Amino acid sequence: MDDFTNIKKDRQNLEHMPDQKLHQIISFVKSGVRILGYGALWFSLDTAVILLIFSEIIGIVEELV
């Protein structure tokens, strides 16, 4: 019976739960930027570094969602 109490408590706190869909979208964007950053290494080190740093910033945002 204790399990049902915890499930009920979780359902009441859904507004405080992370948004899984938004987290997934941001994760895909981060992966895309990271792939572009590694691909840019062939052409411009400066661009690659900027893209890879940007992907890390997106990763921080991803964890805050």
Side-chain angles (χ1 to χ4, degrees):
M1 196 56 149
D2 190 38
D3 289 339
F4 291 115
T5 304
N6 288 334
I7 291 171
K8 185 177 175 185
K9 215 183 304 181
D10 287 342
R11 288 186 180 164
Q12 291 172 347
N13 290 323
L14 283 178
E15 67 271 1
H16 302 294
M17 301 293 275
D19 185 355
Q20 294 176 357
K21 185 68 174 176
L22 183 59
H23 185 88
Q24 181 183 29
I25 291 170
I26 293 173
S27 178
F28 289 157
V29 169
K30 177 187 70 175
S31 295
V33 171
R34 188 172 286 156
I35 290 168
L36 287 173
Y38 284 115
L41 283 171
W42 290 99
F43 305 104
S44 170
L45 184 60
D46 294 339
T47 303
V49 168
I50 290 168
L51 285 171
L52 292 172
I53 289 172
F54 184 59
S55 74
E56 291 304 316
I57 293 169
I58 294 173
I60 292 169
V61 172
E62 175 189 10
E63 294 304 320
L64 296 175
V65 170

